[in-house]
Amino acid sequence: MPGVLIIEAMAQTAAVLVVQTLGSGAEGKLVYFMSVDSARFRRPVVPGDTLRVHVTKQRNRLSVWKFFGQAHVEGHLVAEATYSAMLMD
């Protein structure tokens, strides 16, 4: 699995986290991916691997949210990144 798709999976997971955190306050809003910082790819992910993505919110100010994401395969860290997103109407 290419690294860019692992980052995309973490970003999509973060969007779900935003919507779940805001509940009905997120209705009609879009989450825009803004930046990736400190991306590290530790091991390749190959067909047959089960990728588990874990995302935590570091902070949010107004409509800008910052996250830290990690991806694991069989308990081994395969990728991690810090990234930000913006919530827009």
Side-chain angles (χ1 to χ4, degrees):
M1 182 172 191
V4 68
L5 293 180
I6 296 171
I7 295 293
E8 177 66 22
M10 288 191 274
Q12 293 290 333
T13 304
V16 171
L17 178 61
V18 170
V19 170
Q20 289 294 317
T21 300
L22 295 177
S24 62
E27 223 171 278
K29 297 189 185 242
L30 297 174
V31 180
Y32 289 100
F33 187 52
M34 293 173 42
S35 67
V36 178
D37 298 309
S38 307
R40 302 274 190 265
F41 302 97
R42 310 284 182 194
R43 295 179 180 206
V45 178
V46 296
D49 286 346
T50 300
L51 187 69
R52 298 193 183 269
V53 177
H54 180 77
V55 175
T56 55
K57 179 186 84 164
Q58 291 185 321
R59 67 177 174 267
N60 70 299
R61 291 191 183 131
L62 302 172
S63 62
V64 177
W65 295 58
K66 192 160 190 171
F67 303 94
F68 177 69
Q70 292 184 319
H72 294 85
V73 172
E74 295 181 6
H76 298 285
L77 180 66
V78 295
E80 61 186 334
T82 302
Y83 48 96
S84 59
M86 181 177 278
L87 192 65
M88 300 286 292
D89 290 325

